């Protein structure tokens, strides 16, 4: 089959005529999949695509037309009811995705500073492991400024993530220097989210029952970010695959205050015994993570831990037939910078049984 970047048109035969630097796709009558259009390589400094189209059972799924030179782009692309995964593969984007997708994209201007307008909507799919009923985005990139007019990804009775605003998106070092003080104004929010989504986002969670919400305003500049907002979550129960089998009555509250991410509260019960984590982390220049200070505490009795997998340096992760088990009591502080941090405190281990693969 024919490969276009990561997309392969399988089990299909396509006729191509090549002459004088021009490739012509010749449709074959009676075939369900048809490709038409021309690709012109005849000019040394210009690449031209003329009405390149992919049809399936008489209906056009994908269309691409325009030219690309050393100093100018003029491209138009359209798609209707195309798989999101196929679309990302066509543009060589290495993300696993599914969903019936319609899109319209136009790119003009200089390659180093293009103007791009894109409208995309997809239904009943997933991005990596995150399933959605609806995913839609409408944005324009002009003079290295991204205007996010609309962003929404949602799944009925599970979550609805929305975003909008503007931010510099420099494509070159020269543009970054020029836009270093350009203001960012982005709003992101989730209302009435269901923590059942955790089992899709991480293999560590078997099942979760609870709710969450977040509202974050991202401001400042690329070098000096200013993030404000909050994240809250409450869970009746979270079943885990490792370490702690089950958390109950879990609560989490995070505040974003300028350059500080403050974990005000992360409390839960494990086998009816409390465990808590609190602290804060700085947001450094260019949205990197800075210094932090966290405190992990089991304020009353020991809590049980279970280790089902063992990380082996030479052989990856090994499944333990008989899990390692213990009870712990701890009061530990983690502090410092991501590349140079310290631990201060203690952890008492009792009733322990350590096992290895094969036991």
């Amino acid at each position: 089959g024919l490969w276009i970047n990561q997309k392969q048109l399988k089990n299909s035969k396509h006729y191509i005529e090549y002459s004088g630097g021009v490739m012509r796709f010749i449709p074959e009558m009676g075939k369900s999949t048809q490709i038409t259009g021309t690709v012109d390589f005849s000019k040394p400094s210009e690449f031209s695509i003329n009405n390149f189209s992919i049809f399936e059972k008489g209906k056009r799924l994908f269309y691409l037309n325009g030219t690309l030179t050393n100093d100018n782009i003029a491209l138009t692309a359209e798609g209707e009811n195309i798989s999101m995964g196929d679309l990302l593969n066509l543009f060589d984007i290495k993300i696993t995705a599914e969903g019936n997708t319609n899109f319209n994209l136009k790119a003009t201007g200089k390659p180093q500073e293009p103007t791009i307008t894109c409208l995309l909507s997809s239904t009943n799919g997933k991005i990596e492991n995150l399933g959605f009923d609806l995913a839609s985005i409408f944005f324009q990139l002009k003079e290295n400024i991204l205007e996010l007019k609309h962003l929404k990804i949602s799944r009925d009775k599970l979550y609805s993530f929305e975003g909008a605003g503007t931010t510099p998106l420099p494509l070159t070092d020269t543009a970054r220097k020029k836009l270093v003080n350009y203001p960012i104004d982005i709003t992101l929010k989730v209302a009435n989210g269901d923590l059942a989504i955790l089992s899709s986002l991480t293999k560590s969670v078997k099942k979760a029952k609870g709710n969450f919400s977040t509202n974050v305003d991202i401001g400042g500049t690329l070098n000096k970010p200013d993030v404000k907002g909050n994240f809250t979550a409450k869970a009746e129960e979270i079943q885990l695959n490792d370490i702690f089998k089950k958390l109950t009555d879990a609560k989490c509250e995070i505040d974003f205050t300028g350059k500080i991410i403050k974990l005000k509260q992360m409390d839960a019960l494990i086998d009816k015994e409390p465990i808590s984590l609190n602290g804060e982390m700085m947001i450094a220049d260019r949205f990197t993570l800075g210094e932090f200070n966290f405190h992990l505490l089991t304020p009353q009795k020991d809590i049980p831990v279970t280790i089902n997998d063992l990380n082996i340096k030479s052989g990856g992760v090994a499944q333990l037939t008989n899990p390692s088990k213990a009870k712990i009591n701890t009061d530990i502080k983690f502090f410092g910078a991501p590349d140079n941090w310290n631990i201060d405190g203690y952890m008492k281990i009792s009733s322990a049984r350590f096992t290895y693969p094969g036991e």
Side-chain angles (χ1 to χ4, degrees), residues 280-282 284 288-294 334-343:
E280 61 185 35
M281 173 175 280
M282 300 294 294
T288 58
L289 296 178
E291 293 188 352
F292 61 86
N293 189 334
F294 292 107
F334 306 86
F335 58 94
D339 59 350
N340 184 21
W341 51 284
N342 302 284
I343 300 176

Side-chain angles (χ1 to χ4, degrees), residues 287-352:
F287 288 91
T288 58
L289 296 178
E291 293 188 352
F292 61 86
N293 189 334
F294 292 107
H295 185 197
L296 177 66
L297 177 67
T298 54
Q300 297 181 19
K301 297 181 180 179
D302 299 348
I303 59 173
V305 297
T306 302
I307 300 175
N308 294 307
D309 299 322
L310 183 65
N311 285 309
I312 301 175
K313 187 175 182 180
S314 60
V317 178
Q319 184 76 34
L320 297 176
T321 305
N322 296 311
S324 295
K325 295 182 178 182
K327 288 189 175 183
I328 64 169
N329 184 282
T330 187
D331 186 346
I332 296 179
K333 292 181 179 180
F334 306 86
F335 58 94
D339 59 350
N340 184 21
W341 51 284
N342 302 284
I343 300 176
D344 184 28
Y346 69 86
M347 178 180 289
K348 295 181 180 179
I349 302 174
S350 62
S351 303

Side-chain angles (χ1 to χ4, degrees), residues 208-328:
K209 185 179 181 181
N211 56 75
F212 72 98
S213 64
T214 186
N215 197 328
V216 176
D217 295 319
I218 304 173
T221 65
L222 290 175
N223 281 353
K224 303 292 182 181
D226 183 6
V227 183
K228 296 178 181 177
N230 60 77
F231 171 88
T232 59
K234 292 183 179 181
E236 296 177 31
E237 179 180 285
I238 301 176
Q239 295 182 19
L240 303 175
N241 285 310
D242 213 6
I243 309 298
F244 306 121
K245 282 191 174 182
K246 184 169 68 174
L247 308 178
T248 58
D249 194 25
K251 301 179 181 68
C252 178
E253 186 176 354
I254 302 173
D255 281 352
F256 302 89
T257 56
K259 288 190 173 184
I260 300 174
I261 303 174
K262 188 174 183 62
L263 180 58
K264 294 178 65 177
Q265 177 187 35
M266 184 177 284
D267 302 328
L269 297 178
I270 300 174
D271 199 19
K272 298 182 180 181
E273 295 300 328
I275 184 172
S276 69
L277 176 67
N278 60 68
E280 61 185 35
M281 173 175 280
M282 300 294 294
I283 304 175
D285 292 350
R286 299 190 178 187
F287 288 91
T288 58
L289 296 178
E291 293 188 352
F292 61 86
N293 189 334
F294 292 107
H295 185 197
L296 177 66
L297 177 67
T298 54
Q300 297 181 19
K301 297 181 180 179
D302 299 348
I303 59 173
V305 297
T306 302
I307 300 175
N308 294 307
D309 299 322
L310 183 65
N311 285 309
I312 301 175
K313 187 175 182 180
S314 60
V317 178
Q319 184 76 34
L320 297 176
T321 305
N322 296 311
S324 295
K325 295 182 178 182
K327 288 189 175 183
I328 64 169

Side-chain angles (χ1 to χ4, degrees), residues 67-136:
T67 58
L68 177 63
T69 67
N70 291 335
D71 57 4
N72 189 66
I73 298 174
L75 291 174
T76 298
E78 298 175 4
E80 183 176 352
N81 201 32
I82 187 172
S83 163
M84 180 180 283
D86 289 346
L87 175 62
L88 296 179
N89 287 337
L90 285 170
F91 289 98
D92 204 27
I93 300 173
K94 297 175 175 63
I95 297 175
T96 302
E98 300 174 7
N100 300 318
T101 305
N102 299 333
F103 78 95
N104 190 302
L105 182 146
K106 185 177 181 180
T108 59
K110 298 179 180 180
Q112 300 82 6
E113 199 173 87
T115 296
I116 301 174
T117 302
C118 179
L119 174 62
L120 180 147
S121 64
S122 185
T123 57
N124 302 321
K126 63 170 59 176
I127 300 173
E128 296 294 345
N129 294 320
L130 180 62
F132 61 82
D133 298 324
L134 173 68
S136 62

Side-chain angles (χ1 to χ4, degrees), residues 29-42:
M29 300 304 294
K31 298 294 184 179
S32 61
T33 302
Q34 303 275 1
I35 298 180
T36 64
T38 63
V39 180
D40 190 342
F41 306 93
S42 62

